[in-house]
Amino acid sequence: MTSSLAAPKLKVMISREEIAARVAELGRQISKDFAGESVVLVGVLKGACLFLSDLARSIELDATFDFISVSSYGAEKQSSGEVKLSKDVDSAINGKNVIIVEDILDTGLTLTYLRKVLMAAQPKALKIAALLDKPSRRQQPIQPDYFGFKIPDEFVVGYGMDFAERYRNLPDICILEEAHTV
Ligand code: IMP
Ligand code: MG
């Protein structure tokens, strides 16, 4: 039966409990690494919102939030390879400890671009925290300083991540086995 309302094929890859435990570990690590200092958490909209909100609550430091936005995959699963800044940070980051908070490091094009843009503003330190790392698809030599999970080359949704803007609110990280175009 084919129907545009067919249930999506979602398979849990990383459960909410596993996410919570790992994000808490990352928060502890960041708290240790920056002990006694302040940090600016720069979330990459929109996918990193849930990760940032959980990570921030595991970080026991003086912290502020900022957000940045780049052109995304849109309704496609393949990156266009082009990255554009559509929203810059609101506050100056020069001399600050900045942690870019991103949902997933895939080809590396987005974070390579963002690292360049943010480095130009001369932060004291610039680190990358990516919840997921898909190293097999990397096109740029970039590694996260903090990562939650390394995953194989599967398209995932949930916990902030989307396909055509949907599924961001799923509490678990799921493999989307079938593309739904409606
Ligand atoms: P990159 O520039 O290829 O590293 O892409 C990073 C961006 O692509 C992420 O911020 C996500 O928005 C998106 N992306 C990459 N893989 C996935 C996926 O499996 N599910 C959802 N979004 C993804
Ligand atoms: Mg994203």
Side-chain angles (χ1 to χ4, degrees), residues 44-48 70-72 102-104 110 161-162 168:
V44 185
L45 294 172
K46 308 170 197 159
V70 290
S71 58
S72 75
E102 173 62 309
D103 52 4
I104 179 163
T110 305
M161 289 169 285
D162 73 310
R168 292 192 195 275

Side-chain angles (χ1 to χ4, degrees), residues 21-97:
R22 187 71 183 119
V23 171
E25 271 176 25
L26 293 180
R28 279 195 292 274
Q29 187 63 53
I30 290 170
S31 305
K32 227 163 87 184
D33 293 353
F34 289 92
E37 305 207 29
S38 306
V39 293
V40 184
L41 303 176
V42 176
V44 185
L45 294 172
K46 308 170 197 159
C49 278
L50 302 194
F51 176 40
L52 186 143
S53 66
D54 285 341
L55 182 66
R57 283 177 284 182
S58 298
I59 292 178
E60 294 179 359
L61 298 171
D62 177 40
T64 57
F65 296 176
D66 212 325
F67 293 94
I68 203 162
S69 185
V70 290
S71 58
S72 75
Y73 277 25
E76 302 297 322
K77 285 185 177 180
Q78 290 299 308
S79 171
S80 64
E82 205 186 325
V83 185
K84 275 189 240 146
L85 194 66
S86 46
K87 187 214 166 293
D88 204 345
V89 288
D90 294 326
S91 304
I93 56 159
N94 63 300
K96 306 241 171 106
N97 294 312

Side-chain angles (χ1 to χ4, degrees), residues 73 102-110 134 154-156 162:
Y73 277 25
E102 173 62 309
D103 52 4
I104 179 163
L105 180 52
D106 186 20
T107 64
L109 292 168
T110 305
K134 247 193 232 181
E154 301 271 12
F155 195 85
V156 292
D162 73 310

